[in-house]
Amino acid sequence: MGEDKFDVIIVGGGLAGLTAGIVLAEQGLEVLLIERGDYCGSKNVTGGRLYGHSLEKVIPGFAEEAPIERVIKKERISLMTEDTSVDIGITSKKFSTEPENTSYSVLRAKFDRWLEGKAEEAGVMLVQGIRVDHVLTDEDGKVIGIDAAEEEMYADCVILADGVNSLLAQELGMKKELEPDQVAVGAKEVIKLGEEVINERFGVQSGEGVAWMAAGDPTAGGFGGGFLYTNKDSVSIGVVATLSDIGYSDISVPNLVDRFKEHPAIAPLLEGGETEEYAAHLVSEDGIYMVPELYRDGVLVVGDAAGLVVNLGFTVRGMDFAIESGRLAAETILKAHEMRDYSAKMLSAYEKALEDSFVFRDMRAYKGFPALTANRMIYKNLPETADEIVTKLFTVDGKQDPDLVSFLLQSLLGMASPAQLLGLAGTALESL
Amino acid sequence: MKRMAIENKLALNVFHTEDNDPHIEIDKEYANEEEIRKVVLACPAECYKYIDGKVTFSHLGCLECGTCRVLSHGKLVKSWNHPFGSVGVLYRQG
């Protein structure tokens, strides 16, 4: 490629990078997208569930052709102890009634590869199997291109879509080193069961599925949780554990996954299944507080590289943010291209656009959640107390003390002191 | 389902291995046990082992998640990079 200069070079072919590429190429810009894996999606992992609304804006009706697994129609959250699972669930016709409010279970190696095809159709030039080693800057610090496998390539603007471990944004000084309390490690298995078996065991029809989050025993009381999503003929099951809390128990992350699979509420659902793949990935957890510098002269940061994730425990969102950030970065660059001005001042419109979008609106709305969810009570005391109360309510053996009110009070007070409960309630209110 | 050893789980994945690109370098003399314990517990692929007071690391089976980097950069982990292009894990499900 030598001295060729592109309008835009995108580093990373995940959802953010591919979306940006599609929007830019559709408007006729010359876009080079460099992906280190053999194909887009080959290095990517989700839990996971994609909320479809943001991709709808770029590819209306995408789910009709994209390799989505199932439309999520059932939600379940559980508080688990070693022996019990206290569940809240909802099955509703109100979920996923139109494309904008629909969410899908997806597998990224398949989904991103499909989106890669859309990018190619739009005219994005794709290079796979190449790692970008450095970002090139001129003497004023303006980003002018990249260095990949000792080949330099130049562009008016570079988009860093290189994921949660964005070494390139760190190299530029735009992003600080991640801290252990800002990220969690997710480890998951994809377990093949067959479409009919899934339909029967989870009480769903073909094409419809379940999203299930669990706190407590899945992480052995550590910060984090377990998850299960039904795919077309497999389930994605795993555990997410906040790095700063690893070592709270003596159980390793891979063993947490095994324990979760063996939990009495889970094991019968997986019986006869065959593991197809074992994957791991970091998850950003600190919300708006970990968003790095998003723009400088000639460069923008999008998606996971920009820390755009909100984890509320019952919902986890990152992919819809990634897609929106890719689109907004592309819109910003289209204007910059028109003005032939790729200065930081011009590119600051990207941050403004995120601010005006659901991305920062939602991230700000839930900014207190990282503090709320870093509370041992949620992972230890709460599941234990829920178990105690619910087990009592449903046990009939002729021996029970019938004074339920005093039992409930005792259980709640046994869980935590009134001051601790007030403290948790206070944090909860602040976070909303 | 029966419990599978991590080696057998990892054997289900596709890896393009490159012996000449460890991409993660550790300080073999590093001695803070509490720190080592955390990395050993956290690595989802069990690439780190702590045996007889010695920590060992093998990049084979590495899932490239970055957990060890974030937990112990500049301590147990001397340097961390993504593997060369096309090298390492290749997810088919993801």
Side-chain angles (χ1 to χ4, degrees), chain B residues 53-76:
Chain B
K54 275 272 175 206
V55 59
T56 62
F57 169 77
S58 162
H59 71 282
L60 298 177
C62 174
L63 299 170
E64 304 163 32
C65 64
T67 296
C68 59
R69 182 178 74 84
V70 176
L71 267 180
S72 203
H73 189 69
K75 292 181 269 185
L76 175 58

Side-chain angles (χ1 to χ4, degrees), chain A residues 292-305:
Chain A
E293 268 184 69
L294 294 167
Y295 61 89
R296 278 190 187 178
D297 287 327
V299 64
L300 292 172
V301 187
V302 297
D304 245 1

Side-chain angles (χ1 to χ4, degrees), chain A residues 188-209:
Chain A
K188 79 156 185 178
E189 288 183 32
V190 175
I191 298 173
K192 190 163 186 175
L193 284 166
E195 189 171 348
E196 284 304 317
V197 172
I198 289 173
N199 294 353
E200 282 165 24
R201 291 188 187 172
F202 292 89
V204 289
Q205 295 183 326
S206 287
E208 300 186 346

Side-chain angles (χ1 to χ4, degrees), chain A residues 36 38-39 42-43 46 107-109 131 165 177 185 189 247 250 252-253 258 262 275 277-278 280 282, chain B residues 1 3 9 12-13 16 37 41 44 46 64-65 67 69 81-83 85-87 89-94:
Chain A
R36 71 186 175 92
D38 277 355
Y39 48 83
S42 65
K43 298 288 185 182
T46 177
L107 292 163
R108 295 288 300 275
R131 179 183 77 189
N165 291 293
E177 183 61 76
V185 54
E189 288 183 32
D250 269 329
S252 71
V253 168
D258 288 329
E262 290 161 4
T275 301
E277 188 169 85
Y278 177 64
L282 284 184
Chain B
M1 288 178 74
R3 235 182 229 221
K9 273 192 206 178
L12 299 169
N13 294 354
H16 292 174
R37 174 177 168 263
L41 288 175
E46 293 184 16
E64 304 163 32
C65 64
T67 296
R69 182 178 74 84
N81 201 346
H82 303 289
S86 167
V87 174
V89 69
L90 183 127
Y91 291 121
R92 290 165 299 168
Q93 308 282 338

